[in-house]
Amino acid sequence: MATYSKHDFSASTDGKGIAIAATATAGTLIHEASATATTYDEVWIYATNTHTADEILVLEWGVAGSGPANYIYVTIPTKAGLVLVVPGLILQGNATELLVNGFNTGGASGRINVFGYVNRITA
């Protein structure tokens, strides 16, 4: 029988938000998934934009620096509150931990903050 447990992001301190400092690949680390093949991380990410104009968040899904095939682009409106960016997408455990990183293509550090959690499912 599978077990479920809720976790904060591996790069979060006590569930607090993570400031996206990177402006290009490899992005700021958000989460490092399990290295166990029978473990799945269901990832939920919300973002907020503290700047006075819209910003573009690029998530590197599964591996940093691998290019557009693994990018998720999301425009985060200015001061719109929390915007759902990743609605429970799955990362399966791998011998090498799969990463979720993010960067702001607008070229400015610290304008986007991400929050969220992981539902860890183990078989």
Side-chain angles (χ1 to χ4, degrees):
M1 174 181 246
T3 61
Y4 294 78
S5 56
K6 186 173 273 192
H7 299 267
D8 53 5
F9 294 136
S10 59
S12 173
T13 301
D14 301 326
K16 295 178 186 173
I18 300 166
I20 301 299
T23 57
T25 189
T28 302
L29 178 65
I30 298 169
H31 182 65
E32 184 175 320
S34 174
T36 305
T38 57
T39 300
Y40 298 82
D41 281 357
E42 178 187 67
V43 182
W44 292 80
I45 299 177
Y46 299 82
T48 185
N49 172 5
T50 63
H51 187 54
T52 56
D54 294 353
E55 295 286 336
I56 297 173
L57 172 64
V58 179
L59 294 177
E60 298 171 293
W61 190 257
V63 61
S66 65
N70 293 305
Y71 285 178
I72 300 171
Y73 288 84
V74 182
T75 299
I76 310 299
T78 181
K79 299 183 173 120
L82 292 173
V83 174
L84 180 60
V85 175
V86 176
L89 296 179
I90 299 289
L91 287 173
Q92 182 178 359
N94 195 326
T96 303
E97 294 87 352
L98 299 177
L99 305 177
V100 179
N101 292 7
F103 63 90
N104 178 355
T105 63
S109 176
R111 292 180 176 174
I112 298 174
N113 299 306
V114 296
F115 300 83
Y117 58 93
V118 172
N119 288 320
R120 182 154 289 160
I121 305 160
T122 56

